[in-house]
C-alpha cells in the first residue's frame, strides 16, 4: 500500500515529462527558408532584406488569428507565401470562431494581426488596436467607404481584406428556362415573379436561419436590408446606423411586413415559418439545387457558389446554378473579413503593408479567395463566378455593411432575435419598437 | 472531533492544506472578488455602472447592472426557465434514477442495465448535441424526415413537430436531454445507497407480512434519505448552472434562455451585466450552501 | 423447482423486465442512431434517417423509368450503345430534370426523342416525372452510393480531412491540395488537425490533471478530517460554497495572469486550472470518506508512535481508495469532456472536443464527419467507466452515505 503514493508521484512526473517533450505547438506553421543570400553567411554586412519586409529578419515570428480553415486557410497561405518566402517570416496561425476565445486572447496575448468577419473588435478593443496608417498600410488602394467603416474616433484600425457581396439571389437557369421564368429586372418584377411562382405551386424561396448549431437571424436581417436598399437606398440604411432613422420607421415596418409574408408562409418558402427558423442556412442553399429542387431561389452571399458545388459536384456554374443582383438595389450590401493589428513588430508591419499593397490585392484575386476590396485586385480574378461578383462590387454606387454588425450590441442581439420572433408570428410594430429602443441604447453607449 | 491523543505541530495542518488552498485561492476566490467589482462597472469596465443609465428610464445607480439582471425581459424569461428546469428536472432525475436503481436491483443483468443508463454521463455536451440533433431534427420541405421523433410521427400519418423552435415543446425537449444526461448520475449514487440497506432488516419486515411498498416506504426510504438529500442538492446546483444543453441545442432562442447562457453571451460584449448575472447566480446558491454547512456541522457533532 | 414454476416466475416478473428493457432502449437509441449515422455517407446522412440503413432500399424512379425509358433503352439502360444510360459520364451530363427536359425536346436522328408514351405537356409535371428517372439512372450507373456503409467519417476525422470528397478518394486520385498536406500513409494519423493528434493531447491533459487533484485533495481532506486547526469549520463551509462558482468567471483574470507567468498555451497552465476547479468537490468527497473511517484505527496507530505523515500514507490513503477511485473517474471524465477551458488555455494543442468543432467548416458544413469524430471522443470515457465501474460505485456509496 505504501507503494501507492510513490506510484502516483511517478505518474505525475511522467506526465510532466511527456508534456515537456510532447509535440511542439503546430497549429499551422508556414515556415519557409530565408532566401540564401550571401548576407546570411557573413556577419559583417547587414542582411539585404527586400523593402517589403519592413526590417523583419529571417526567423521572426508573426502570430495571426482568423476564422478560416481547410481550403480557405490554404488560399490565405498561398496569398502570403511570397511575403513569407522573401523575408523568412515564420507565421503562427490560430483558427478560432469563438468571440470568448478572441476576448481572452486580446486581454492576455493578442495576435499580432487579427482577421475577423465583423466590426465588433473595433468597438471592443479600440484602445488596444493600432492605427493602420502608423504601421505601413497603404490607404490609396481602397475606396473611401471601406476606410470609413474601419475608423473609430478618427483612428483607422480596420480594413477589409476579403469582401463578399450579399445582395444577390441564386437560382438555376435550366430550371427557370424549363418553367418559363425570367430573371427580374426591378424590385416590382421580383415581387410579380414571386407571386407568379406561388400561383404555379412552385415554392419561390428557400430560407434558413439555423447556423449549424442554434438559430440566428442574420440571413433574415440580410434579406430585410436588401429590401430596404431596393425601396429606400444606402443613405437610408446608413441612417439607421447613425440614428437618423429609427428602426421602427414606416419603411422598415413595410420591409418586415413583406418579409414576414414570404418567410412564414409555406406557399412562399419551404416549410413556412418552421422551415425558415429550423433549416440550416447551408441546407437552404442546397434545397434550390437538389433533385428535385424544393424551391426556385435563395438569397445568399457569394460563398453559396462554392457550397453548391461542394454538395453537388456535377452541377455547372452558368447552366445549373447562377446568380443575379437583388433587383433594384441602390448600392450593395456586403460582408467583409477585416484586418486588425495589435502588434507593431516589423513582421506585423510587413504583413499589413503587403496585404494593403497593389501586389497584395493582385495575389488575393489570383488565389480566388472571395473578393478583395483592394483596387489591385481588379481585373485579376480568374474564376468567372468571382469576376462577376467583382463587377457587381466595383460598379456599386454605395456599400452598406450589416447593420447589426455595424451598430453592435445590444442592438445586434435584439435585431437577430426580433426577426426570428416576427417570422414566428410576433407583432411586427411592437417588436420593431423594442429593437428601436435597443438602437437608442446602443447609440448612447 | 479530532482525537486528543494525536499530537501535531501547529504548522502541520497548513502544510497539508497549502497546495489546495493556494490553487483554489488563485483560481476561484481571486477571480470571484474581481467579478463582484466588475459587476458595478460599465460594459467595458472603464466607468461606474451608474453612467450607463439613460434619462427618463428607471436607474439603480451603481447597481444598474443588477437592474438588468433582475428586471430585463430576457432575464425574466431566463429566471422563469431556470425555475421551470429546477421544478421539473430535479424531481425527474432523482425519481427516475431511484426508480431504475430499485428495479435494476432485482434482476441479474443489473450492471449492464445500469451501464446503459449511466453512459450519457461519459459523453461530452458537444457529443450530446450531435446525438440529439438526429432525434429532434425536423424536415419542413419535401424530403424524408431524418429526425427520429418526426419520422415516427409522420410514419403514423401525423404532422411533424418543430421540437426545438415551438415554444410549447422546446423547453421540455431540452429537459429531456438533461434527464438523459443526468439520471444515470443519480441512479449510480442511489443504487449504491440501496445496496447499503441491511438485507436482514428488509427480510424481517417481509416475514412480518409487510407489502413491498411498505418495505420501501418504512425501511428503505428512511435509510437512504441522506443519499437522496445529497443527490438532490447536487442536482439543484448542476441545474441552476445549466448551460451546455441550451447552448448547443437552441442557443437560448425561441424562449429557451437560461441564466448561465445569458451570462456567457454577455461575457465579451458587456462585462458589467455578465458579472452581475454571475453574482445573482452565486446568490441563488446561498440557501444550498447554508443547508450544506448546517449538515456538515450536525455530522461533526454526531461523530 | 420444475419447469412450470420457473415459467410462472418469469411470467410474473415480465413487467419488471419489460420496464427495465424499455427504459434501456429509450436511453440507448439516441446514441445508437449516431453510431449508425457515423457509418453513412454525406449524401445518405442528409437525405434519409439512420434507420433506413436497415431497411430494404426503395427503388426510386423504377416505375417512371420502366414507363418512359425501358422500352427503348432496356431495363439495364444498355440497349442503345451510343446512349448507354449506365455510363456515369453520360448520366453526369444531366444532373437535373431541367437538363434532361431540354435534351429530350431535341430531335434524335431526325425524329422526336420520346415517342411512347409522350411526357406530360405541362413543364412542371414533366419535371417532376423526370426527377426520379435521374435518380434511377444514377443507380444504374453506380454513382448513387447512398446506402453503402463506409468508414470514411472515421478516417476523415482521424486525419482531419476538410476537403470536398474524402481522404481515401483524394489519396487515390492524388489530389494536389491533399498531397500537399498528407503523405497518404499511417503517419497522417498524427496530423495536428486530426482527431488522432487531439487524442494524444487529451490524454496529456486529462491524466496529470486527474492525478494532481487526487494528491492535493487527499492531503487537504486529511487535514480537514484528522487535524485540528483554527477556522476548520469556516474553511470547510467555504469549500462547500466554492463548488457552485461557475468557471467562466475565472477565464479572463487567469488568462491575464498566465501571460505574466508565461503559462499561456502550456500543459501546466491547463492542468492547474482544472485542478483549481476540481478541488472543492474532490476535497469534499474524500473528506467525507476518510472522516468516516473508524477512529480507533487512527488512535492505535498514534499510540504505536506513528506520525501524521505515516498515518496519512499508510492508513488514510489506502483505506480511501474507493473514494479516490470514484473521484478519479469523475475528474477524468470531466476533464476529458471539457471544451471551454481547453479552447482558451491550450489553443495550440487542440483536445478532442475542440478538434471536433474545428472539423466543422466555417459555415457549419461537414456534419457527417462529426458523427465519426464524436464517437472517437466517447471511447476512452466509456472504457474507463466500464473498467472501473465497481470501484466507482463503492466509492460513491462511501462518499455520499456518510451524511
Amino acid at each position: 500500500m505504501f507503494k501507492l503514493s510513490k506510484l502516483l508521484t511517478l505518474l505525475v512526473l511522467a506526465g510532466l515529462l511527456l508534456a515537456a517533450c510532447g509535440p511542439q505547438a503546430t497549429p499551422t506553421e508556414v515556415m519557409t527558408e530565408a532566401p540564401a543570400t550571401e548576407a546570411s553567411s557573413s556577419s559583417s554586412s547587414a542582411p539585404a532584406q527586400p523593402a517589403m519586409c519592413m526590417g523583419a529578419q529571417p526567423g521572426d515570428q508573426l502570430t495571426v488569428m482568423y476564422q478560416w480553415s481547410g481550403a480557405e486557410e490554404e488560399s490565405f497561405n498561398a496569398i502570403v507565401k511570397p511575403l513569407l518566402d522573401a523575408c523568412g517570416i515564420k507565421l503562427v496561425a490560430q483558427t478560432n470562431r469563438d468571440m470568448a476565445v478572441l476576448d481572452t486572447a486580446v486581454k492576455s496575448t493578442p495576435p499580432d494581426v487579427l482577421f475577423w468577419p465583423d466590426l465588433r473588435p473595433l468597438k471592443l478593443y479600440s484602445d488596444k488596436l493600432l492605427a493602420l496608417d502608423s504601421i505601413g498600410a497603404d490607404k490609396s488602394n481602397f475606396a473611401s467607404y471601406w476606410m470609413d467603416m474601419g475608423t473609430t474616433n478618427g483612428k483607422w484600425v480596420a480594413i477589409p481584406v476579403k469582401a463578399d457581396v450579399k445582395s444577390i439571389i441564386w437560382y438555376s437557369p435550366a430550371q427557370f428556362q424549363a418553367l418559363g421564368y425570367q430573371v427580374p429586372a426591378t424590385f416590382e418584377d421580383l415581387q410579380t415573379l414571386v407571386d407568379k411562382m406561388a400561383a404555379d405551386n412552385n415554392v419561390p424561396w428557400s430560407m434558413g436561419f439555423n447556423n449549424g448549431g442554434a438559430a440566428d437571424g442574420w440571413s433574415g436581417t440580410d434579406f430585410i436590408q436588401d429590401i430596404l436598399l431596393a425601396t429606400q437606398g444606402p443613405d437610408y440604411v446608413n441612417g439607421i446606423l447613425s440614428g437618423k432613422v429609427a428602426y421602427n420607421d414606416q419603411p422598415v415596418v413595410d420591409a418586415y411586413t413583406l418579409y414576414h409574408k414570404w418567410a412564414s408562409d409555406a406557399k412562399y418558402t419551404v416549410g413556412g415559418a418552421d422551415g425558415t427558423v429550423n433549416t440550416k442556412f447551408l441546407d437552404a442553399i442546397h434545397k434550390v439545387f437538389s433533385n428535385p429542387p424544393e424551391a426556385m431561389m435563395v438569397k445568399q452571399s457569394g460563398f453559396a457558389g462554392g457550397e453548391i458545388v461542394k454538395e453537388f459536384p456535377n452541377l455547372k456554374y452558368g447552366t445549373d446554378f447562377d446568380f443575379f443582383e437583388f433587383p433594384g438595389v441602390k448600392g450593395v450590401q456586403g460582408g467583409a473579413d477585416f484586418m486588425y493589428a495589435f502588434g507593431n513588430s516589423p513582421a506585423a508591419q510587413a504583413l499589413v503593408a503587403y496585404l494593403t499593397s497593389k501586389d497584395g490585392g493582385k495575389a488575393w484575386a489570383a488565389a480566388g479567395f472571395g473578393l478583395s476590396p483592394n483596387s489591385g485586385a481588379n481585373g485579376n480574378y480568374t474564376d468567372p463566378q468571382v469576376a462577376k461578383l467583382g463587377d457587381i462590387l466595383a460598379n456599386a454606387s454605395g456599400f452598406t455593411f450589416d447593420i447589426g454588425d455595424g451598430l453592435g450590441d445590444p442592438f445586434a442581439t435584439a435585431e437577430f432575435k426580433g426577426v426570428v420572433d416576427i417570422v414566428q408570428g410576433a407583432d411586427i410594430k411592437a417588436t420593431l419598437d423594442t429593437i428601436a429602443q435597443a438602437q437608442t441604447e446602443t447609440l448612447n453607449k | 472531533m479530532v482525537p486528543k491523543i494525536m499530537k501535531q505541530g501547529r504548522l502541520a495542518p497548513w502544510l497539508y492544506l497549502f497546495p489546495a488552498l493556494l490553487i483554489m485561492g488563485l483560481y476561484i476566490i481571486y477571480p470571484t472578488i474581481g467579478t463582484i467589482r466588475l459587476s458595478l462597472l460599465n460594459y467595458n469596465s472603464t466607468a461606474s455602472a451608474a453612467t450607463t443609465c439613460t434619462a427618463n428610464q428607471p436607474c439603480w445607480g451603481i447597481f444598474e447592472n443588477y437592474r438588468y439582471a433582475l428586471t430585463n425581459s430576457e432575464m425574466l424569461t431566463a429566471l422563469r426557465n431556470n425555475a421551470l428546469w429546477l421544478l421539473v428536472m430535479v424531481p425527474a432525475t432523482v425519481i427516475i434514477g431511484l426508480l431504475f436503481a430499485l428495479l435494476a436491483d432485482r434482476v441479474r443483468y443489473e450492471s449492464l442495465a445500469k451501464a446503459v443508463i449511466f453512459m450519457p454521463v461519459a459523453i461530452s455536451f458537444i457529443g450530446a448535441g450531435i446525438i440529439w440533433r438526429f432525434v429532434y431534427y425536423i424536415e419542413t420541405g419535401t424530403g424524408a424526415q431524418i429526425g427520429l421523433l418526426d419520422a415516427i410521427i409522420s410514419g403514423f400519418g401525423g404532422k411533424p413537430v418543430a421540437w426545438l423552435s415551438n415554444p410549447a415543446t422546446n423547453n421540455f425537449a431540452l429537459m429531456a436531454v438533461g434527464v438523459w444526461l443526468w439520471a444515470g448520475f443519480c441512479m449510480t449514487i442511489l443504487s449504491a445507497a440501496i445496496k447499503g440497506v441491511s438485507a436482514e432488516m428488509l427480510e424481517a419486515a417481509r416475514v412480518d407480512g409487510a407489502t413491498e411498498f411498505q418495505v420501501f416506504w418504512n425501511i428503505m426510504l428512511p435509510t437512504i434519505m441522506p443519499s437522496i438529500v445529497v443527490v438532490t442538492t447536487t442536482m439543484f446546483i448542476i441545474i441552476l448552472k445549466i448551460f451546455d444543453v441550451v447552448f448547443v441545442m437552441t442557443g437560448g432562442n425561441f424562449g429557451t434562455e437560461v441564466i448561465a447562457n445569458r451570462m456567457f453571451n454577455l461575457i465579451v460584449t458587456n462585462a458589467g451585466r455578465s458579472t452581475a448575472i454571475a453574482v445573482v447566480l452565486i446568490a441563488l446558491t446561498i440557501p444550498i450552501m447554508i443547508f450544506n454547512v448546517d449538515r456538515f456541522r450536525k455530522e461533526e457533532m454526531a461523530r | 423447482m420444475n419447469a412450470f414454476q420457473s415459467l410462472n416466475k418469469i411470467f410474473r416478473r415480465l413487467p419488471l423486465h419489460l420496464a427495465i428493457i424499455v427504459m434501456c432502449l429509450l436511453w440507448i437509441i439516441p446514441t445508437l442512431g449516431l453510431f449508425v449515422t457515423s457509418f453513412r455517407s454525406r449524401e445518405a446522412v442528409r437525405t434519409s434517417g439512420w434507420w433506413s440503413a436497415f431497411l430494404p432500399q426503395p427503388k426510386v424512379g423504377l416505375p417512371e423509368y420502366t414507363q418512359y425509358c425501358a422500352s427503348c433503352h432496356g431495363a439495364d439502360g444498355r440497349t442503345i450503345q451510343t446512349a448507354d444510360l449506365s455510363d456515369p459520364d453520360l448520366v453526369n451530363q444531366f444532373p437535373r430534370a431541367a437538363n434532361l427536359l431540354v435534351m429530350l425536346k431535341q430531335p434524335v436522328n431526325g425524329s422526336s426523342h420520346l415517342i411512347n408514351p409522350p411526357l406530360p405537356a405541362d413543364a412542371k409535371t414533366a419535371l417532376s416525372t423526370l426527377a426520379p428517372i435521374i435518380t434511377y439512372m444514377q443507380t444504374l450507373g453506380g454513382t448513387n452510393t447512398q446506402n453503402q456503409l463506409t468508414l470514411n467519417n472515421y478516417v476523415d476525422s482521424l486525419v482531419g480531412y476538410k476537403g470536398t470528397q474524402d481522404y481515401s478518394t483524394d489519396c487515390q486520385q492524388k489530389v494536389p491540395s491533399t498531397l500537399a498536406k498528407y503523405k497518404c500513409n499511417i503517419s497522417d494519423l498524427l496530423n495536428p488537425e486530426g482527431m488522432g493528434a487531439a487524442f494524444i493531447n487529451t490524454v496529456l491533459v486529462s491524466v496529470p490533471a486527474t492525478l494532481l487533484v487526487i494528491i492535493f485533495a487527499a492531503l487537504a481532506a486529511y487535514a480537514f478530517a484528522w487535524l485540528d486547526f483554527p477556522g476548520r469549520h469556516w474553511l470547510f463551509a467555504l469549500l462547500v460554497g466554492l463548488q457552485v462558482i461557475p468557471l467562466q468567471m475565472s477565464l479572463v483574470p487567469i488568462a491575464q495572469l498566465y501571460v505574466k507567468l508565461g503559462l499561456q498555451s502550456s500543459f501546466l497552465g491547463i492542468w492547474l486550472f482544472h485542478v483549481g476547479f476540481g478541488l472543492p468537490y474532490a476535497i469534499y468527497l474524500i473528506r467525507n470518506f476518510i472522516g468516516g473511517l473508524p477512529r480507533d484505527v487512527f488512535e492505535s496507530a498514534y499510540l504505536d508512535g506513528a506520525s501524521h505523515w505515516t498515518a496519512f500514507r499508510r492508513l488514510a490513503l489506502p483505506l480511501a481508495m474507493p473514494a479516490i477511485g470514484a473521484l478519479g473517474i469523475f475528474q477524468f471524465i470531466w476533464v476529458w469532456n471539457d471544451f471551454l477551458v481547453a479552447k482558451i488555455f491550450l489553443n495550440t494543442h487542440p483536445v478532442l472536443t475542440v478538434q471536433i468543432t474545428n472539423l466543422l467548416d466555417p459555415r457549419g458544413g461537414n456534419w457527417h464527419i462529426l458523427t465519426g469524430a464524436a464517437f472517437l471522443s466517447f471511447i476512452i470515457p466509456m472504457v474507463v467507466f466500464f473498467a472501473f465501474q465497481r470501484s466507482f460505485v463503492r466509492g460513491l456509496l462511501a462518499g455520499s452515505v456518510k451524511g
Side-chain angles (χ1 to χ4, degrees):
Chain A
M1 282 305 167
F2 170 64
K3 283 176 190 152
L4 184 88
S5 56
K6 272 188 182 164
L7 182 72
L8 285 180
T9 327
L10 263 174
L11 275 168
V12 172
L13 280 176
L16 284 162
L17 263 170
L18 259 173
C21 316
Q24 280 302 301
T26 43
T28 316
E29 280 180 18
V30 183
M31 174 61 187
T32 42
E33 291 295 311
T37 56
E38 73 274 27
S40 56
S41 55
S42 111
S43 53
S44 55
S45 63
Q49 286 288 80
M52 74 192 289
C53 298
M54 312 280 281
Q57 298 300 311
D60 278 6
Q61 192 161 306
L62 173 63
T63 57
V64 299
M65 184 192 277
Y66 45 60
Q67 299 201 350
W68 306 315
S69 65
E72 297 189 313
E73 193 171 25
E74 281 161 26
S75 301
F76 178 76
N77 285 338
I79 293 163
V80 295
K81 194 168 187 298
L83 176 76
L84 303 184
D85 283 352
C87 312
I89 297 171
K90 186 178 164 193
L91 187 72
V92 179
Q94 187 194 353
T95 297
N96 163 49
R97 296 166 199 136
D98 193 318
M99 197 67 202
V101 174
L102 169 67
D103 192 59
T104 313
V106 168
K107 287 174 181 160
S108 52
T109 36
D112 289 329
V113 178
L114 166 74
F115 300 90
W116 203 252
D118 62 47
L119 285 166
R120 277 191 290 176
L122 173 131
K123 305 232 170 206
L124 290 167
Y125 315 124
S126 55
D127 52 332
K128 293 196 177 65
L129 288 166
L130 303 176
L132 292 174
D133 35 4
S134 73
I135 54 169
D138 184 355
K139 59 171 77 175
S140 67
N141 292 321
F142 294 86
S144 64
Y145 54 76
W146 294 117
M147 313 276 305
D148 298 343
M149 249 186 275
T151 304
T152 176
N153 299 329
K155 187 168 145 192
W156 177 47
V157 295
I159 191 74
V161 288
K162 172 174 178 278
D164 200 355
V165 175
K166 287 182 173 180
S167 305
I168 53 173
I169 295 172
W170 294 84
Y171 73 112
S172 159
Q175 187 78 7
F176 264 44
Q177 194 198 346
L179 292 168
Y181 297 135
Q182 302 290 322
V183 169
T186 66
F187 187 54
E188 285 69 33
D189 287 352
L190 176 69
Q191 296 177 66
T192 316
L193 176 67
V194 167
D195 287 330
K196 185 169 185 304
M197 287 170 171
D200 294 348
N201 280 324
N202 288 318
V203 179
W205 295 111
S206 175
M207 300 181 182
F209 282 178
N210 193 299
N211 247 350
D216 181 336
W218 65 262
S219 63
T221 54
D222 278 3
F223 209 126
I224 304 283
Q225 194 164 338
D226 274 337
I227 297 177
L228 287 174
L229 281 175
T231 59
Q232 309 295 320
D235 289 345
Y236 185 85
V237 171
N238 288 327
I240 298 175
L241 281 168
S242 65
K244 241 184 286 169
V245 176
Y247 206 73
N248 53 357
D249 193 28
Q250 193 54 41
V252 184
V253 177
D254 294 343
Y256 270 93
T257 309
L258 176 66
Y259 180 70
H260 172 259
K261 176 176 135 189
W262 284 348
S264 58
D265 184 343
K267 262 191 104 48
Y268 289 101
T269 190
V270 181
D274 278 348
T276 301
V277 298
N278 284 295
T279 307
K280 282 192 269 180
F281 71 90
L282 282 185
D283 288 342
I285 301 170
H286 302 152
K287 281 174 188 293
V288 176
F289 304 96
S290 56
N291 178 37
E294 296 183 42
M296 296 295 121
M297 299 182 286
V298 56
K299 198 207 90 61
Q300 191 49 278
S301 315
F303 71 75
E307 298 297 335
I308 295 165
V309 287
K310 205 191 243 186
E311 190 69 23
F312 307 116
N314 53 359
L315 295 191
K316 282 171 214 67
Y317 170 70
T319 54
D320 299 324
F321 68 97
D322 201 347
F323 60 90
F324 54 85
E325 194 171 6
F326 193 97
V329 286
K330 308 168 193 83
V332 296
Q333 180 196 178
D337 285 355
F338 293 88
M339 174 166 69
Y340 303 86
F342 290 102
N344 62 355
S345 67
Q349 296 201 20
L351 181 67
V352 169
Y354 171 67
L355 288 180
T356 52
S357 70
K358 277 243 167 349
D359 284 343
K362 210 166 143 181
W364 203 284
F369 187 24
L371 297 171
S372 167
N374 187 326
S375 60
N378 294 345
N380 288 309
Y381 296 109
T382 47
D383 181 344
Q385 209 182 124
V386 183
K388 182 171 165 185
L389 284 169
D391 286 344
I392 292 180
L393 187 66
N395 298 330
S397 55
F399 186 91
T400 60
F401 197 61
D402 188 285
I403 305 175
D405 283 341
L407 269 173
D409 278 315
F411 173 82
T413 314
E415 188 199 22
F416 284 165
K417 187 175 178 301
V419 72
V420 174
D421 289 347
I422 286 173
V423 168
Q424 286 202 308
D427 181 71
I428 294 176
K429 188 71 175 75
T431 309
L432 293 184
D433 287 345
T434 314
I435 304 177
Q437 214 179 325
Q439 182 191 13
T440 319
E441 195 187 329
T442 310
L443 288 162
N444 287 341
K445 197 156 116 176
Chain B
M1 289 293 112
V2 173
K4 289 274 176 315
I5 191 163
M6 304 188 187
K7 292 177 293 283
Q8 58 174 70
R10 198 179 296 165
L11 223 70
W14 302 105
L15 288 176
Y16 284 81
L17 289 168
F18 177 73
L21 291 187
L22 176 76
I23 293 178
M24 286 191 294
L26 187 65
Y27 283 85
I28 313 180
I29 297 176
Y30 154 74
T32 304
I33 294 169
T35 296
I36 297 172
R37 189 182 70 91
L38 290 182
S39 73
L40 303 175
L41 299 177
N42 69 351
Y43 65 97
N44 61 356
S45 316
T46 50
S48 155
T51 59
T52 62
C53 287
T54 35
N56 307 323
Q57 299 278 337
C59 176
W60 290 12
I62 194 162
F63 298 109
E64 178 62 9
N65 292 323
Y66 289 88
R67 189 179 70 80
Y68 171 86
L70 296 171
T71 68
N72 176 277
S73 69
E74 275 280 287
M75 275 307 293
L76 290 180
T77 311
L79 289 165
R80 194 203 64 205
N81 284 341
N82 265 74
L84 190 67
W85 276 84
L86 288 173
L87 278 175
V88 175
M89 253 196 73
V90 175
T93 45
V94 175
I95 291 172
I96 291 178
L98 179 61
L99 195 69
F100 195 84
L102 284 170
L103 292 179
D105 195 38
R106 292 148 180 263
V107 297
R108 244 179 275 158
Y109 48 91
E110 179 185 0
S111 63
L112 180 71
K114 286 201 306 199
V116 168
I117 306 293
F118 180 86
M119 189 184 58
V121 178
I123 288 176
S124 64
F125 76 89
I126 302 261
I130 298 171
I131 287 176
W132 283 84
R133 188 72 49 90
F134 291 100
V135 176
Y136 289 140
Y137 189 91
I138 175 175
E139 170 60 53
T140 54
T142 51
Q145 293 296 341
I146 64 169
L148 182 64
L149 284 179
D150 279 334
I152 293 173
I153 290 181
S154 34
F156 285 108
K159 191 177 170 296
V161 177
W163 300 100
L164 294 177
S165 69
N166 184 341
T169 58
N170 54 11
N171 276 311
F172 296 100
L174 295 179
M175 285 177 212
V177 180
V179 171
W180 180 79
L181 276 171
W182 287 105
F185 170 81
C186 301
M187 184 269 301
T188 312
I189 293 181
L190 294 174
S191 171
I194 288 171
K195 302 241 173 287
V197 179
S198 111
E200 293 93 52
M201 246 160 76
L202 296 175
E203 210 39 57
R206 287 191 183 115
V207 168
D208 287 350
T211 64
E212 277 303 300
F213 181 76
Q214 283 169 332
V215 171
F216 168 74
W217 192 257
N218 294 325
I219 298 175
M220 185 83 91
L221 203 60
T223 321
I224 63 170
M225 211 43 182
S227 301
I228 295 184
V229 170
V230 169
V231 169
T232 309
T233 49
T234 310
M235 283 314 297
F236 191 91
I237 291 172
I238 287 172
I239 292 175
L240 202 58
K241 289 202 288 183
I242 194 88
F243 158 75
D244 307 347
V245 175
V246 176
F247 178 74
V248 292
M249 303 288 296
T250 64
N253 278 296
F254 318 121
T256 59
E257 191 66 284
V258 289
I259 303 175
N261 189 54
R262 198 91 276 272
M263 177 187 83
F264 182 75
N265 282 338
L266 290 170
I267 276 184
V268 176
T269 54
N270 199 323
R273 285 179 175 181
S274 177
T275 48
I277 296 171
V279 174
V280 169
L281 199 58
I282 295 171
L284 286 174
T285 59
I286 286 177
I288 289 285
M289 219 147 109
I290 293 172
F291 178 80
N292 265 336
V293 169
D294 200 44
R295 216 169 60 84
F296 173 67
R297 292 175 72 155
K298 279 198 191 121
E299 188 188 311
E300 279 282 283
M301 303 282 218
R303 246 172 69 181
Chain C
M1 195 189 278
N2 62 32
F4 176 74
Q5 276 174 321
S6 56
L7 202 70
N8 188 33
K9 191 184 167 206
I10 291 175
F11 190 71
R12 252 191 311 119
R13 283 162 60 89
L14 202 61
L16 172 70
H17 292 296
L18 219 59
I20 295 178
I21 290 168
V22 164
M23 218 172 127
C24 286
L25 280 179
L26 277 179
W27 246 250
I28 207 160
I29 281 177
T31 319
L32 181 75
L34 183 72
F35 187 64
V36 175
T37 308
S38 67
F39 295 102
R40 307 183 80 217
S41 69
R42 170 203 211 94
E43 172 81 357
V45 171
R46 193 173 61 79
T47 54
S48 61
W50 54 268
W51 52 89
S52 34
F54 303 118
L55 301 175
Q57 304 314 315
K59 296 255 182 204
V60 178
L62 178 62
E64 289 86 352
Y65 179 85
T66 313
Q67 188 182 355
Y68 292 99
C69 319
S71 59
C72 299
H73 289 274
D76 61 356
R78 298 203 178 117
T79 306
I80 303 171
Q81 273 198 345
T82 49
D84 182 353
L85 297 190
S86 65
D87 174 10
D89 291 336
L90 181 77
V91 174
N92 257 338
Q93 289 175 23
F94 308 102
R96 293 292 175 268
N99 316 85
L100 198 57
L101 187 64
V102 172
M103 192 273 296
L104 291 177
K105 281 181 176 162
Q106 288 161 0
V108 176
N109 301 334
S111 61
S112 146
H113 187 126
L114 251 186
I115 309 145
N116 193 27
L119 267 183
D122 168 43
K124 185 176 155 57
T125 325
L127 286 178
S128 52
T129 309
L130 290 173
I133 293 181
I134 300 248
T135 310
Y136 192 73
M137 292 200 304
Q138 286 165 352
T139 312
L140 282 178
T143 52
N144 182 359
T145 52
Q146 259 248 42
N147 265 299
Q148 292 164 7
L149 296 182
T150 160
L151 278 174
N152 280 339
N153 296 335
Y154 285 93
V155 176
D156 288 1
S157 57
L158 274 173
V159 302
Y161 174 81
K162 290 173 188 141
T164 52
Q165 309 189 77
D166 60 79
Y167 167 79
S168 340
T169 313
D170 271 18
C171 277
Q172 268 164 25
Q173 297 176 350
K174 305 204 184 312
V175 174
S177 63
T178 298
L179 291 186
K181 215 158 104 187
Y182 296 104
K183 297 190 184 67
C184 289
N185 60 28
I186 192 87
S187 69
D188 287 343
L189 285 178
L190 290 177
N191 188 293
E193 291 182 18
M195 295 293 279
F199 194 89
I200 296 171
N201 293 336
T202 313
V203 172
L204 288 178
V205 170
S206 317
V207 174
T210 305
L211 294 178
L212 285 173
V213 163
I214 290 175
I215 293 167
F216 294 157
L219 282 170
Y222 182 80
F224 276 117
W226 297 108
L227 289 167
D228 203 13
F229 57 93
R232 197 163 74 106
H233 273 103
W234 285 111
L235 213 52
F236 197 72
L238 183 69
L239 202 71
V240 173
L242 289 186
Q243 288 176 38
V244 305
I245 292 180
L247 67 81
Q248 282 94 338
M249 286 301 100
S250 299
L251 297 178
V252 169
I254 297 300
Q256 286 169 339
L257 190 74
Y258 276 9
V259 176
K260 288 188 200 125
L261 301 175
L263 283 178
Q264 68 271 35
S265 272
S266 70
F267 280 96
L268 183 61
I270 191 165
W271 292 337
L272 290 177
F273 196 98
H274 280 307
V275 170
F277 277 87
L279 274 175
Y281 185 67
I283 299 176
Y284 178 74
L285 191 79
I286 300 185
R287 196 229 75 104
N288 271 354
F289 192 96
I290 57 177
L293 293 173
R295 202 169 136 160
D296 38 345
V297 174
F298 284 86
E299 279 176 344
S300 54
Y302 297 123
L303 284 175
D304 290 347
S307 67
H308 272 287
W309 180 237
T310 318
F312 170 70
R313 268 180 10 209
R314 297 216 168 156
L315 277 176
L317 262 191
L319 288 175
M321 266 335 269
I324 289 177
L327 171 78
I329 293 177
F330 256 144
Q331 174 77 7
F332 180 82
I333 290 178
W334 156 251
V335 175
W336 187 277
N337 285 337
D338 155 74
F339 169 77
L340 197 59
V341 178
K343 175 95 186 163
I344 288 175
F345 292 107
L346 201 66
N347 52 41
T348 51
H349 292 73
V351 298
L352 288 167
T353 46
V354 173
Q355 198 76 296
I356 290 179
T357 57
N358 287 347
L359 286 173
L360 268 185
D361 75 23
R363 300 190 186 90
N366 278 352
W367 249 89
H368 57 294
I369 293 181
L370 261 61
T371 57
F375 254 92
L376 290 171
S377 76
F378 299 163
I379 295 172
I380 290 293
M382 301 263 181
V383 167
V384 166
F385 174 70
F386 280 113
F388 297 98
Q389 194 182 9
R390 190 158 294 172
S391 75
F392 185 51
V393 171
R394 281 215 318 266
L396 281 175
L397 165 74
S400 60
V401 189
K402 284 292 156 311

